[in-house]
Amino acid sequence: MKIEFQKNLQLADDEISIVVQAAKKTLEVSHLIDYLAKFGQNHADILPIKSDDRILMVRAATIIKVEVGRNSLMVYSTQDNFSVNERLYKFKERFDQDNFIQISKSTMINIDHLLSLEDSFSGTMTAILTGQIKANVSRKYLADLAKRLGL
């Protein structure tokens, strides 16, 4: 990767212009563009989550896993587990944190709580998380997880 700074006197002092150049738009390029788009935005460390009878203020760092249940999402945290009436993709959009990664169609995890990965059936992996919580990593999402972990 080549990074360079070019002075442009036509830009205002508080203005930055970024051009990402590559031979083709790969997944890595898309991730870089997404990262740059989010740069400088304030991401709340505390997420309000509406449960059946209350609104919980949950710190992002305490969430271990979010998983689709029968009719709701199950949120597993270091303090408590609770049910939320929301779709996973909406939760993911609202809770856009860099340390969360989707590992299957129905599950996303906080990689800060990932303790290990173990082989499972038919080429999948099982993620062992804080509190011995387990989650299946599907083959479709395994490459993204491995790349995020630097493997």
Side-chain angles (χ1 to χ4, degrees):
M1 182 180 298
K2 180 180 170 186
I3 300 172
E4 64 181 71
F5 171 77
Q6 293 180 356
K7 191 173 188 176
N8 185 341
L9 297 174
Q10 295 177 334
L11 296 174
D13 288 346
D14 63 345
E15 190 177 15
I16 298 173
S17 176
I18 298 173
V19 176
V20 177
Q21 296 179 333
K24 62 182 181 177
K25 189 172 183 179
T26 62
L27 185 60
E28 186 177 32
V29 170
S30 294
H31 284 287
L32 177 61
I33 291 169
D34 290 344
Y35 176 79
L36 290 170
K38 294 176 198 171
F39 182 80
Q41 294 178 357
N42 289 334
H43 292 290
D45 183 38
I46 298 177
L47 180 70
I49 298 177
K50 187 176 181 184
S51 186
D52 291 335
D53 56 348
R54 59 190 167 154
I55 296 176
L56 302 165
M57 303 307 283
V58 180
R59 291 200 177 281
T62 67
I63 296 177
I64 300 168
K65 171 175 93 164
V66 180
E67 185 172 56
V68 175
R70 282 185 186 222
N71 299 318
S72 61
L73 288 179
M74 285 301 301
V75 178
Y76 298 83
S77 76
T78 55
Q79 279 86 32
D80 200 4
N81 301 333
F82 45 89
S83 176
V84 179
N85 291 324
E86 192 170 356
R87 294 198 179 274
L88 184 61
Y89 80 94
K90 285 288 189 186
F91 188 88
K92 189 177 177 183
E93 285 174 3
R94 194 166 64 87
F95 191 56
D96 192 14
Q97 298 279 330
D98 290 332
N99 50 338
F100 281 82
I101 185 166
Q102 191 160 353
I103 60 166
S104 72
K105 185 177 176 183
S106 61
T107 307
M108 70 181 201
I109 63 168
N110 182 341
I111 57 174
D112 293 340
H113 288 280
L114 179 61
L115 302 176
S116 65
L117 290 168
E118 297 176 356
D119 285 331
S120 188
F121 300 108
S122 66
T124 62
M125 301 284 283
T126 299
I128 309 299
L129 305 160
T130 301
Q132 295 303 306
I133 295 171
K134 295 181 179 182
N136 293 323
V137 181
S138 71
R139 286 184 298 220
K140 178 181 176 184
Y141 295 91
L142 188 56
D144 285 344
L145 178 61
K147 188 171 186 175
R148 182 70 82 69
L149 296 173
L151 300 175

